[in-house]
């Protein structure tokens, strides 16, 4: 039996990078996966890959996670088509790096809204279904930036440290409900995120998205009596 057989997962940011790798890995282990991001073509490609890999179940649901109503609709459609929501992975995210002095407050809004507010909205949206089921796993994708001070990443770090704090509190609020909350904190991962970021560390030394997917799989596939709540995954060469 596959590790996620019979499970239903929602993965945001599933069109590229880490979210895509997690969606593919979950589907390969038997989960039905709802794929969410804004780009329809990316989602269609990932859904096609899942089906081509052996008839996995995938639903492409174009969603801007900064739109609260769209997030509600994402959860509703998943629950209606697949009948359950067992796993939520919040991998939708965005990054821009510069010293604080070189940024304007208006530059911060997208990161705050996608990386932090939208992740919180997604968690809130799956709760009624997961609580009704008495079972569920939330994996919030933060970053090593939540724990280490990296110059040039003040706002990005604020979003990720915020998500870590949020996840810790949510885990306590849901203690003994059957719904577990974990936060995954990778170091640098070679994804399209770095294509537009200056001062990129060497990409061949970064983690691969598939490494992060293995960590997410571990969190999602643990038996219900165990909860992996904070997981730091670094390239073996350091945080880069
Ligand atoms: N790469 C790294 O080194 C690294 C390290 C640690 C943590 N992380 C975190 O991991 C997460 C994924 O990063 P990645 O490297 O995989 O980035 P990526 O390759 O740029 O992919 C980001 C994904 O998020 C989606 N997204 C962005 N804004 C969205 C929105 N408003 N609504 C819905 N989806 C949205 C994108 O799709 P659309 O643009 O089509 O919407 C895309 O599918 C992020 O939270 C990032 O901070 C990354």
């Amino acid at each position: 039996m596959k590790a996620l057989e019979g499970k239903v997962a929602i993965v945001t940011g599933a069109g590229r990078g880490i979210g895509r790798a997690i969606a593919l890995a979950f589907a390969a282990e038997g989960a039905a996966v709802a794929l969410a991001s804004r780009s329809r073509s990316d989602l269609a490609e990932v859904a096609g890959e899942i089906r081509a890999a052996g008839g996995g179940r995938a639903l492409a649901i174009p969603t801007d996670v900064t739109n609260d109503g769209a997030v509600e609709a994402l959860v509703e459609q998943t629950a209606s088509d697949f009948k359950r929501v067992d796993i939520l992975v919040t991998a939708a995210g965005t990054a821009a790096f510069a010293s604080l002095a070189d940024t304007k407050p208006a530059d911060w809004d997208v990161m705050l809204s996608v990386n932090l507010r939208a992740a919180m909205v997604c968690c809130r949206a799956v709760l009624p279904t997961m609580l009704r089921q008495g079972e569920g796993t939330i994996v919030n994708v933060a970053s090593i930036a939540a724990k280490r001070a990296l110059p040039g990443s003040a706002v990005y770090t604020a979003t990720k440290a915020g998500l870590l704090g949020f996840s810790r509190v949510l885990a306590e609020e849901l203690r003994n409900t059957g719904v577990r909350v974990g936060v995954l904190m990778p170091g640098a991962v070679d994804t399209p995120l770095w294509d537009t970021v200056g001062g990129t560390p060497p990409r061949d030394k970064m983690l691969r998205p598939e490494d992060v997917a293995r960590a997410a799989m571990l969190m999602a596939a643990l038996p219900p009596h165990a909860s992996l709540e904070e997981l730091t995954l670094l390239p073996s060469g350091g945080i880069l």
Side-chain angles (χ1 to χ4, degrees):
M1 175 134 158
K2 293 179 172 175
L4 298 179
E5 199 71 60
K7 302 288 186 197
V8 174
I10 295 174
V11 181
T12 72
R16 296 193 298 270
I18 291 170
R20 170 181 174 276
I22 291 174
L24 292 172
F26 282 13
E29 282 300 333
V33 186
L35 310 164
S37 70
R38 292 167 301 178
S39 159
R40 284 173 186 274
S41 58
D42 282 356
L43 295 181
E45 214 170 282
V46 178
E49 279 182 74
I50 288 174
R51 292 185 196 114
R57 289 189 300 159
L59 198 58
I61 309 178
T63 307
D64 182 341
V65 292
T66 64
N67 176 334
D68 298 354
V71 170
E72 291 293 336
L74 164 69
V75 175
E76 269 167 35
Q77 195 185 335
T78 305
S80 151
D81 282 36
F82 290 146
K83 308 300 173 215
R84 306 179 54 79
V85 180
D86 298 289
I87 304 162
L88 167 70
V89 179
T90 60
T94 183
F97 301 118
S99 71
L100 195 70
D102 289 333
T103 67
K104 295 193 250 347
D107 301 332
W108 310 344
D109 293 344
V110 173
M111 270 190 288
L112 286 164
S113 113
V114 179
N115 297 2
L116 183 55
R117 188 181 184 283
M120 299 191 293
V121 169
C122 289
C123 290
R124 185 177 177 280
V126 297
L127 281 186
T129 309
M130 288 186 174
L131 288 170
R132 201 162 45 244
Q133 293 167 179
E135 203 179 298
T137 305
I138 292 171
V139 177
N140 286 322
V141 180
S143 160
I144 188 61
K147 289 178 142 183
R148 307 244 184 117
L150 306 168
S153 75
V155 177
Y156 179 76
T157 294
T159 67
K160 296 301 185 177
L163 186 58
L164 172 59
F166 169 83
S167 304
R168 284 176 169 162
V169 173
L170 189 61
E172 294 310 327
E173 288 182 3
L174 297 172
R175 196 73 68 201
N176 299 320
T177 63
V179 182
R180 54 193 181 181
V181 182
V183 59
L184 180 46
M185 290 169 282
V189 188
D190 186 9
T191 71
L193 176 135
W194 291 104
D195 292 350
T196 52
V197 172
T200 306
R203 291 178 77 144
D204 62 340
K205 299 218 166 31
M206 293 182 180
L207 294 163
R208 311 255 81 81
E210 294 73 23
D211 302 324
V212 185
R214 287 177 72 171
M217 175 66 72
L218 183 61
M219 296 166 87
L222 277 172
H225 66 267
S227 182
L228 215 177
E229 299 194 347
E230 291 178 28
L231 200 157
T232 301
L233 180 73
L234 293 183
S236 53
I239 59 172
L240 301 178

